[in-house]
Each structure stands twice: as C-alpha cells, then as structure tokens.
C-alpha cells in the first residue's frame, strides 16, 4: 500500500489513527502525510506490528511519523527519511514500551528536541539500527528523553547535528540510558567553540 498526502482533520495521525487495536502494517510506503500528533500514525493503547515499510517527508508537531501513547508496537526493517517535527523528527513516544530494530533513519529533523526520537515516560529498546545525518535545532541530535529508559545496542549513529558536541542524547530528569556495542560519531567541524 502507498499512503500519500494524508492530512488529519482531528489532529491525530495523518494516515492512520489506532485506538485499542493490534494491526499489522507491512510492505507499505508513506509520503508527505501531516498531523499535529503523528504525521503518519497515532497509536493509543495499541500494539501495532510495523515492518518492511518506508516513511519519507512526513510532518507533525509531535512525531514526524509516529505518535505513540500508552502503546507497545514492534517496529522492524523500516526506513525513515527526511521526516520532521517540533519534537521527535520520526517518533514521539509517551508512556509507551517498545522495540525498534533493524531500521534506518536518515536526515530526520526536529525543530526543538530529538532529531529521531523524543520520549517521555517510556521504555525503549533500539537494536541493530543505522542513524545517519539526523538533527535537532535545540537538543538531542538523535534522541531526547524525559523520564524514560533507553537501551541502545548494536547501533551506528553518525553525522548527527545539535547545538553542542556532546548532545547525541539529551536526558531530562530521571531518564536513564544504556549503550552497548554501538558507534556514536559526529563531525566536530560543524560546531562552534564557546
């Protein structure tokens, strides 16, 4: 399936709005969808399985692609390219518990925090992913976390951009992050010294 130019009139999910359901979304492409909460998908109390899909040029205020609330999705073998949001260039997660694996994120952007992901009150496992050239204009070139637990394993993250060199992951409050067997690299020539 291909979903193009969807726009939510009720602010939740430009293409898909889930409420207490467990669908499988597979072998699909999503282009230029828009919504205030989740440019492509808004998930409330749901457990979607999202796999083998492509997301490009989607836009949202919170989550350029996904807004996850009290949900437990499985996201695997997906590609996210040039999506954007105020927070969470690709994904905004609130009170959710999920695994993101074998996926690629390229040129996603947040106007404020979390070029790829912004999470609050969530437990997130990120495994075997490639994150390349993602950015945030304020903080967390890749990830911004408030009161969340992040486990990152076998991830390669390169060329991220945020206002300060050490801003790969921006932690707020009681957030906790564990990184194993991963490569985190930035081009320091893009940064100005204080």
């Amino acid at each position: 399936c291909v979903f193009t130019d969807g726009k939510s009139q009720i602010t939740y999910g430009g293409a898909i709005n889930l409420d207490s359901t467990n669908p499988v979304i597979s072998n699909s492409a999503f282009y230029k969808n828009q919504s205030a909460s989740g440019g492509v998908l808004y998930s409330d109390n749901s457990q979607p399985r999202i796999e083998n899909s492509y997301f490009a040029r989607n836009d949202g205020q919170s989550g350029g692609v996904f807004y996850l609330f009290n949900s437990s999705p499985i996201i695997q073998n997906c590609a996210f390219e040039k999506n954007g949001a105020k927070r969470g260039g690709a994904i905004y997660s609130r009170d959710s518990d999920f695994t993101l694996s074998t996926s690629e994120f390229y040129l996603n952007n947040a106007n404020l925090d979390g070029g790829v992901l912004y999470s609050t009150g969530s437990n997130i496992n990120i495994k075997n992913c490639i994150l390349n050239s993602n950015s945030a204009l304020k903080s967390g070139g890749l990830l911004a976390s408030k009161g969340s637990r992040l486990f990152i394993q076998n991830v390669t993250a390169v060329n991220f951009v945020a206002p300060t060199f050490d801003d790969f992951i921006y932690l707020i409050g009681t957030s906790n992050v564990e990184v194993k067997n991963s490569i985190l690299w930035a081009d320091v020539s893009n940064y100005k010294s204080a």
Side-chain angles (χ1 to χ4, degrees):
C1 295
V2 177
F3 297 82
T4 305
D5 296 315
K7 186 171 184 180
S8 172
Q9 299 300 317
I10 58 170
T11 72
Y12 298 114
I16 300 170
N17 185 323
L18 305 177
D19 187 357
S20 303
T21 187
N22 307 317
V24 175
I25 300 167
S26 183
N27 300 311
S28 297
F30 298 84
Y31 302 97
K32 298 182 181 177
N33 297 283
Q34 297 179 33
S35 177
S37 298
V40 169
L41 179 143
Y42 178 86
S43 177
D44 183 355
N45 193 37
S46 296
Q47 297 177 329
R49 183 179 187 92
I50 303 164
E51 58 190 12
N52 304 315
S53 294
Y54 179 68
F55 304 89
R57 298 186 184 276
N58 300 288
D59 185 59
Q61 289 294 308
S62 298
V65 178
F66 303 143
Y67 186 109
L68 308 172
F69 174 64
N70 194 31
S71 292
S72 300
I74 295 172
I75 304 167
Q76 60 187 13
N77 300 319
C78 291
F80 299 80
E81 183 176 5
K82 296 182 180 176
N83 300 289
K86 188 174 183 179
R87 286 196 166 92
I91 301 170
Y92 186 103
S93 175
R94 181 175 157 212
D95 301 326
S96 293
D97 187 346
F98 69 94
T99 297
L100 172 61
S101 63
T102 56
S103 294
E104 296 184 12
F105 294 82
Y106 181 66
L107 289 171
N108 297 284
N109 177 66
N111 290 335
L112 289 177
D113 309 308
V116 169
L117 168 70
Y118 183 91
S119 69
T120 178
S122 298
N123 292 304
I124 302 167
N125 294 313
I126 302 172
K127 303 185 301 184
N128 304 312
C129 291
I130 297 172
L131 299 86
N132 187 356
S133 302
N134 299 282
S135 62
L137 296 181
K138 184 180 175 194
S139 59
L142 291 176
L143 313 169
S145 174
K146 181 177 183 181
S148 295
R149 187 195 70 78
L150 303 172
F151 179 70
I152 299 167
Q153 184 174 15
N154 300 326
V155 168
T156 299
V158 297
N159 298 322
F160 62 89
V161 178
T164 61
F165 173 67
D166 60 349
D167 210 1
F168 162 68
I169 301 172
Y170 180 63
L171 302 176
I172 307 162
T174 58
S175 291
N176 186 338
V177 64
E178 183 178 353
V179 180
K180 287 188 174 180
N181 303 319
S182 296
I183 298 169
L184 314 176
W185 176 80
D187 180 357
V188 297
S189 67
N190 291 328
Y191 299 95
K192 296 178 181 178
S193 60

